[in-house]
Amino acid sequence: MMKKDYNVNNGFVRKYELAMEYFPYSPSKKAATDNLARAIDRCSPLKKAMEESKSGYNASNKYFTPLQVRLILDYLGEP
């Protein structure tokens, strides 16, 4: 169950915040972020959609765009 409402109209979301929602038992923010990055890499349609999004997908960025958040929620489901 998602704790926060990631309304895509609210702007950018820090990667670690969303990652901690998906991986709440990770020992650190970095571990959660790494786990989410692996989940994105494993879901080929999601990764392709994110790469084709207007801003593109770069694993080193610190934030997800509103569209990227929506794509993650659509493909991976709510945390």
Side-chain angles (χ1 to χ4, degrees), residues 36-68:
L36 182 56
R38 278 191 290 277
I40 292 168
D41 285 342
R42 289 183 185 133
C43 183
S44 299
L46 169 58
K47 186 172 181 182
K48 182 178 178 183
M50 289 183 65
E51 288 171 346
E52 292 174 352
S53 68
K54 186 175 181 179
S55 62
Y57 173 64
N58 184 339
S60 66
N61 288 348
K62 302 291 183 198
Y63 293 88
F64 287 121
T65 67
L67 175 59
Q68 290 171 337

